[in-house]
Amino acid sequence: MMKANHVSISAVAGWVPNDVLTNYDLSKIVDTSDEWITTRTGIKERRILKDPKLATSDMAVGAINKLLSKTGVDPNEIDLIICATVTPDMLFPSTACLIANKVGAKNAFGFDLSAACSGFLFALDCGSKYISSGIYNKVIVVGADKMSSIIDYSDRQTCVLFGDGAGAVLLEPSDQPGIQDSVLKIDGSGGDYLKMVAGGSLNPASIETIKNKQHYAYQDGKTVFKFAVTKMADVSEEIMKRNHLCGEDVDWLVPHQANLRIIDATAKRMQIDSSKVMINIQKYGNTTAATIPLCLADWENKLKNGDNLILASFGGGFTWGAMYLTWRK
Ligand code: COA
């Protein structure tokens, strides 16, 4: 029997493309305004990966290379790469394979994980188990999405919400508890409200699927909003209760960045002061699997050893969850 280890996030890095798409830019493409987008979502601008030769794996590689250079980890030491994404470069090979090849992780095992906006959280939980079980020592979990590749820029309800980006963390064994607990959920009966129906085995690409715009993300925003606002708060409350935490015990809430109103409602239910909520939605919009690691990367300098974090997400599937972790450095 192998020894069970504590697991912590030992480093984090984010990568976003340079090109900025502002609310004003969008108002020239669809019937919308900076005022509408800001008040309904909190988003001011998002990043777009414009170079047609670049894809999700390249953004993930950008984040991972930063992670490796700041930690001095040799790519050959990486045991496992889990890539959370709904915009893989292609259906196969997996994006994890492409990433491992590009970063020179010659000894790594890896796979993609599909859970939409909860992808990073699910992958983080999964990756941590490989370390707590004593199997591996260095696991990279990367959330990366090139949402601009599946967005219909004539659908004003959806196109204003999303952006491109990637964020990665290194997981390692630690002396003290880092990742403490997680509550993860799926409910496939919500699948119809947020989906991309073509390009898979049910609706392979055809002239029809292209004509019907089925290679784009479709969202029933109102229904998704209702579920997200309830479920993200429910699960955050559940994880706090079962770990005997009150709002004051939590140093940081790290919520998935889909809509500022969903984030505010979650923080309110958890009785967490807004000064302790990581929010960067105004800069990046919803980058799907990348939102949580991009928050951690933006706040890294403020995080102290022993800080208690609650990570929370909601996404297509439906998928949702919360994780309780203590920052170690
Ligand atoms: N600009 C201007 N008006 C817009 C608009 C836009 N970009 N998008 C929609 N509208 C209009 C609608 O057509 C509607 O007009 P109507 O009343 O004449 O029909 C009006 O604004 C209100 O639309 P509504 O859908 O009620 O807005 P909302 O307050 O629900 O906000 C979303 C829409 C998409 C921002 C919101 O539903 C949302 O954030 N949903 C969840 C998104 C999410 O979290 N997704 C990811 C989960 S991971």
Side-chain angles (χ1 to χ4, degrees), residues 203-224:
N203 299 296
S206 68
I207 305 285
E208 277 301 299
T209 61
I210 291 170
K211 247 198 257 162
N212 296 335
K213 297 186 162 198
Q214 289 170 318
H215 295 272
Y216 291 128
Y218 161 82
Q219 174 170 248
D220 171 349
K222 257 201 168 99
T223 307
V224 174

Side-chain angles (χ1 to χ4, degrees), residues 32 36 40 117 156 219 221-222 225 258-259 261-262 314:
T32 191
W36 193 96
R40 300 292 176 120
C117 296
R156 69 174 181 174
Q219 174 170 248
K222 257 201 168 99
F225 185 92
N259 186 312
R261 291 182 290 151
I262 299 173
F314 184 88

Side-chain angles (χ1 to χ4, degrees), residues 86 114-118 187 190-191 193-195 224 314-320:
V86 288
S114 173
C117 296
S118 301
D187 178 359
Y193 302 112
L194 181 48
K195 62 184 177 182
V224 174
F314 184 88
F318 292 132
T319 58
W320 69 104

Side-chain angles (χ1 to χ4, degrees), residues 6 11 126 161 176 213 215 247 271 293:
H6 294 309
C126 180
L161 302 172
Q176 291 173 293
K213 297 186 162 198
H215 295 272
Q271 299 186 312

Side-chain angles (χ1 to χ4, degrees), residues 12-59:
V12 55
W15 193 93
V16 289
N18 287 327
D19 279 301
V20 173
L21 182 67
T22 65
N23 291 350
Y24 176 69
D25 296 333
L26 280 167
S27 73
K28 289 186 279 180
I29 308 171
V30 287
D31 181 13
T32 191
S33 64
D34 175 47
E35 200 271 333
W36 193 96
I37 302 171
T38 307
T39 53
R40 300 292 176 120
T41 72
I43 302 165
K44 297 298 277 185
E45 58 186 45
R46 63 293 286 143
R47 301 300 181 94
I48 303 293
L49 189 64
K50 279 201 172 154
D51 186 337
K53 291 190 295 300
L54 298 180
T56 294
S57 69
D58 299 292
M59 297 193 293

